[in-house]
Amino acid sequence: MRRLVVVGGALAGHRAAIQARRLDAELDITVLAGEDELPYQRPPLSKGYLAGTVSAQRVRLRGGGEGYRFLSGSPAVGVDLAKSLVFTADNAYPFDLLVVATGAEPRQLRGFAPDEAIIYLRTLTDATRLKEALTRIGHLTIIGGGFIGAEVAVTARSLGVNVTVVEQSSHLLSRAVGQRVSSIVEHNLHERNIELLLNSTANLETMRDHRLVSNGTQSWPTDLVVVGVGVVPCTAWLGGALPLAEDEGIHVNEMGLVEGFEQVGAAGDVASWDHPLYGRSVRFEHFEVATNHALHTAQALVANRRVAYGELPFGWSDQGDLLLQVIGVPGPDLTEEVEEVEGGKIFLYRRDDRLEGAVLMNAPEELTKLRDRITASLGSQ
Ligand SMILES: Cc1cc2nc3c(=O)[nH]c(=O)nc-3n(C[C@H](O)[C@H](O)[C@H](O)COP(=O)(O)OP(=O)(O)OC[C@H]3O[C@@H](n4cnc5c(N)ncnc54)[C@H](O)[C@@H]3O)c2cc1C
């Protein structure tokens, strides 16, 4: 009987395992999960779950842990590809096929070690602590003006908490989009009386038993700090056994498999895959990408269906009544154009004549059309 080991028991790991089960009823499937939780989804953790509108039950992924052996609290600590073994602290798991789905973890900010009043938001446990804190605090400081920072800011403010967002660069979402989209997000925060400190580096100070955050020109007392300064793919446990791309993700080919080790695939936030339309390797931290990439990788591994994964990446961010949807690969270094559409706007991102990505602002009905436009533009070059 063939044995599949999946390392990582969250979204991509769960999806890969259930797809593998659909494809092969006899396959022996073991999922090694780092967390002590059945598989769950993260998007509500900065929005509905924090606000109390989405319950812990609804955060769980349907069918999580069913149809495969799910070993919670069993992080992999190493792999021996020559012997086809994955190691945990107290066991070795032989495999014929391996999927790495270890996701990403928050980048640590120097001077802000996590403690009871400094939270890095990634897991359900982090979100539960934050949710509880938001019911009793008066002021929250968020360090980092990316999607997660903006979402937490809006949610906390909706619960009556005063919020200051500190961002190092001159505009929000500076690594992901252009200035026009940034301005819309900034405007949305200003409208909610969220204080925004741009071009600011945060430092933590302690005065008697109070914590102060300063940015060099001003300092303020705060009850809680949330740090959201990006994530790094979880690859340290591999000890260099698999090749990494420039963006630090595990480098896989168009099919989701590791070149030279075709019994091994990777999917989700940890994987950087050769995208057939972009002609380069890309890595995303989007729910839909993790889901579909995992299905695809499982098919390539388990059923030997070697089809390139060429879907356009898609992600979204809800910030109160502002819905941003990201399709393709926009970026701050591309030309940004705006088009007005009914109810919202779309922002197009071009490299020379090539339409590489778009951001939709409150315009979900435009998504299919844009997907086709970007695919056609990329395919014609
Ligand atoms: C707060 C928050 C809000 C988000 N909101 C959105 C949104 O609105 N829209 C959107 O498109 N995307 C959103 N995302 C991103 C989306 O949730 C991720 O892209 C998705 O979770 C990636 O899934 P994954 O399974 O690849 O990785 P992860 O969800 O990171 O799961 C990886 C799992 O592997 C485990 N692991 C790590 N190392 C090991 C090891 N050595 N052994 C075993 N297990 C290990 C981890 O503990 C984790 O459980 C959000 C993310 C967060 C954190």
Side-chain angles (χ1 to χ4, degrees):
M1 189 194 298
R2 292 191 304 169
R3 292 154 304 184
L4 168 69
V5 172
V6 178
V7 184
L11 179 62
H14 166 67
R15 295 288 187 216
I18 53 170
Q19 183 67 356
R21 171 58 67 235
R22 273 188 209 126
L23 294 167
D24 184 345
E26 302 298 314
L27 190 66
D28 181 80
I29 307 173
T30 301
V31 175
L32 299 175
E35 296 179 60
D36 268 329
E37 298 280 351
L38 281 169
Y40 61 90
Q41 46 181 324
R42 301 190 198 277
L45 303 187
S46 49
K47 318 175 190 64
Y49 180 70
L50 277 191
T53 54
V54 173
S55 67
Q57 190 51 35
R58 277 190 46 211
V59 167
R60 309 260 171 227
L61 289 168
R62 207 172 312 142
E66 293 168 18
Y68 52 84
R69 188 178 303 109
F70 183 80
L71 302 180
S72 64
S74 304
V77 295
V79 63
D80 184 332
L81 293 173
K83 294 190 177 139
S84 297
L85 289 172
V86 174
F87 303 100
T88 58
D90 46 21
N91 248 318
Y93 295 86
F95 64 84
D96 301 295
L97 305 169
L98 173 67
V99 173
V100 180
T102 45
E105 60 191 356
R107 193 181 293 282
Q108 299 289 311
L109 185 63
R110 194 186 304 191
F112 289 86
D115 66 18
E116 73 290 341
I118 299 180
I119 293 181
Y120 287 74
L121 178 57
R122 183 79 192 175
T123 66
L124 186 55
T125 307
D126 302 331
T128 303
R129 278 181 57 214
L130 179 56
K131 178 180 158 78
E132 185 276 321
L134 291 176
T135 62
R136 58 177 163 77
I137 64 169
H139 186 269
L140 170 69
T141 298
I142 297 173
I143 302 177
F147 285 115
I148 303 272
E151 289 175 3
V152 172
V154 168
T155 307
R157 194 71 201 98
S158 74
L159 297 170
V161 176
N162 292 315
V163 182
T164 302
V165 177
V166 186
E167 165 58 40
Q168 202 173 10
S169 81
S170 58
H171 52 279
L172 296 182
L173 308 181
S174 61
R175 282 175 299 140
V177 297
Q179 298 233 4
R180 292 182 197 208
V181 174
S182 297
S183 318
I184 283 167
V185 175
E186 286 160 22
H187 179 72
N188 188 43
L189 298 192
H190 281 140
E191 270 199 326
R192 291 160 204 272
N193 293 321
I194 293 169
E195 187 181 26
L196 189 52
L197 302 175
L198 298 171
N199 298 304
S200 288
T201 304
N203 296 299
L204 192 63
E205 298 166 5
T206 306
M207 227 175 75
R208 289 187 283 275
D209 57 346
H210 282 87
R211 270 184 162 171
L212 298 178
V213 178
S214 81
N215 67 345
T217 51
Q218 66 187 89
S219 58
W220 59 95
T222 198
D223 301 311
L224 189 74
V225 176
V226 169
V227 183
V229 293
V231 295
V232 285
C234 293
T235 57
W237 68 277
L238 288 162
L242 294 176
L244 300 186
E246 218 171 287
D247 56 22
E248 301 176 61
I250 296 171
H251 188 199
V252 292
N253 63 19
E254 294 182 349
M255 273 72 75
L257 307 181
V258 178
E259 290 289 333
F261 300 100
E262 300 222 336
Q263 75 285 26
V264 182
D269 284 13
V270 77
S272 182
W273 90 96
D274 291 334
H275 198 295
L277 289 176
Y278 288 93
R280 61 176 192 270
S281 90
V282 290
R283 190 180 74 77
F284 292 93
E285 292 145 17
H286 294 332
F287 183 90
E288 189 179 288
V289 173
T291 304
N292 295 344
H293 196 212
L295 300 184
H296 207 89
T297 301
Q299 267 172 209
L301 267 182
V302 176
N304 205 21
R305 276 189 214 152
R306 304 289 161 108
V307 181
Y309 178 58
E311 262 178 37
L312 287 184
F314 170 74
W316 78 93
S317 175
D318 281 308
Q319 300 170 26
D321 41 21
L322 175 65
L323 169 65
L324 296 177
Q325 293 169 300
V326 181
I327 178 87
V329 191
D333 54 328
L334 304 188
T335 317
E336 189 187 42
E337 290 160 24
V338 59
E339 285 180 10
E340 304 281 336
V341 293
E342 209 187 320
K345 292 180 191 228
I346 56 177
F347 299 84
L348 304 173
Y349 289 81
R350 291 183 200 279
R351 193 183 301 277
D352 304 321
D353 284 345
R354 209 167 113 112
L355 183 58
E356 297 214 336
V359 176
L360 296 83
M361 179 200 128
N362 293 342
E365 58 290 339
E366 297 293 318
L367 188 60
T368 308
K369 249 188 283 169
L370 265 175
R371 201 186 291 265
D372 293 346
R373 273 174 80 180
I374 298 169
T375 307
S377 175
L378 293 173
S380 69
Q381 305 284 315

